[in-house]
Amino acid sequence: MSDKETLDAYAKAARAYADGFAKPEDTFHDPDFEAFVALLPPGGHVLDLGCGPGQWAARMVERGLVVTATDASPEMAALALQDFGIPVKVAPFDALTDKGVFDGVWANFSLLHAPRADFPAHLQRVHQALKPGGAFHIGMKLGASEGRDYLGRFYAYYGERELCDLLVQAGFTIKGTRRGNGKGLAGGVETFVIITAHA
C-alpha cells in the first residue's frame, strides 16, 4: 500500500497531477488501453486499482464497461468524482479481498508504490479477484531498487523479466509487453514497461 509520505505528496500535488496526466489529449497510453479493452467482454466489470484522478475509469465507462475504482488518496478520489463523476472507494491495495469478481483489473502505474516485499501478495490478490481468464494490465517503472523521488513518493523498481516471472508465479499468463519512456510528475524521464496478462 502507499505509505503516509507518498499519500501526503499526492495530497499536495493532486490537482497538478490531474491537470498534467488526466487530459483528454493525453493519448500516449491509448494503445495500452485499447489492448486491455479488447480482452474484455462487452459490459465487463473492471477494477481500476489505484485510479488516481479517474481519467481511465471514465474512459472505461464511456466504453460501456462497469467500473469499480479504488485509490488510497482521498484527494485523488475527490478529483475523480469532481472531474469525471467517478465514485472512488478510498482503500489501500491490501484491502482487495474480492474473489472471481472482475473481468479485468487495470493497475496503471499504481502498484509501483508498493514495497517489493509486499508486491507478490498484491499480485495474488489481483489474481484471485479476477474471473478465470480475466485480463490484467500493469504499468511499472524499470529498475532494480526502491526508494523515494524528490517529492517524497515511494517507488519500487523491477526488471521486465523479473516482473514477468512474478506474474507467472502468481498464476498469470503473459499476453504482451511494451517498453517506453515518459516524464512523470517529478519531471524526470524514466523507462517503463506495460504488461498485459490474463488469469
Side-chain angles (χ1 to χ4, degrees), residues 38-67:
L39 297 174
L40 304 173
H45 190 182
V46 178
L47 170 64
D48 190 345
L49 183 65
C51 67
Q55 76 274 24
W56 293 111
R59 290 184 62 177
M60 291 174 199
V61 171
E62 288 174 358
R63 298 292 281 270
L65 298 167
V66 177
V67 180

Side-chain angles (χ1 to χ4, degrees), residues 15-41:
R15 183 76 262 173
Y17 184 92
D19 290 344
F21 299 98
K23 297 176 181 176
E25 62 268 25
D26 289 338
T27 59
F28 187 66
H29 286 291
D30 278 5
D32 307 316
F33 178 77
E34 294 299 333
F36 175 71
V37 171
L39 297 174
L40 304 173

Side-chain angles (χ1 to χ4, degrees), residues 62-192:
E62 288 174 358
R63 298 292 281 270
L65 298 167
V66 177
V67 180
T68 296
T70 67
D71 200 276
S73 167
E75 292 78 14
M76 288 292 188
L79 286 177
L81 185 61
Q82 174 185 310
D83 293 352
F84 297 105
I86 299 294
V88 176
K89 179 181 179 181
V90 178
F93 300 132
D94 56 12
L96 179 60
T97 58
D98 299 278
K99 290 180 169 54
V101 172
F102 301 105
D103 296 290
V105 174
W106 174 268
N108 198 52
F109 301 101
S110 56
L111 284 169
L112 43 64
H113 291 306
R116 290 173 66 93
D118 298 339
F119 189 64
H122 293 320
L123 292 181
Q124 290 283 356
R125 290 185 185 93
V126 170
H127 189 273
Q128 76 175 10
L130 283 163
K131 297 176 182 177
F136 181 38
H137 162 103
I138 181 170
M140 300 287 282
K141 295 181 180 181
L142 291 177
S145 62
E146 54 185 13
R148 297 187 185 277
D149 64 11
Y150 86 90
L151 296 174
R153 298 177 300 172
F154 177 87
Y155 281 95
Y157 298 88
Y158 298 83
E160 182 177 335
R161 182 79 224 190
E162 181 183 14
L163 279 171
C164 288
D165 287 346
L166 287 166
L167 283 163
V168 170
Q169 290 166 21
F172 290 98
T173 300
I174 306 301
K175 193 82 175 173
T177 65
R178 180 178 80 86
R179 286 193 185 202
N181 297 292
K183 183 182 290 188
L185 183 65
V189 175
E190 295 180 279
T191 303
F192 64 81

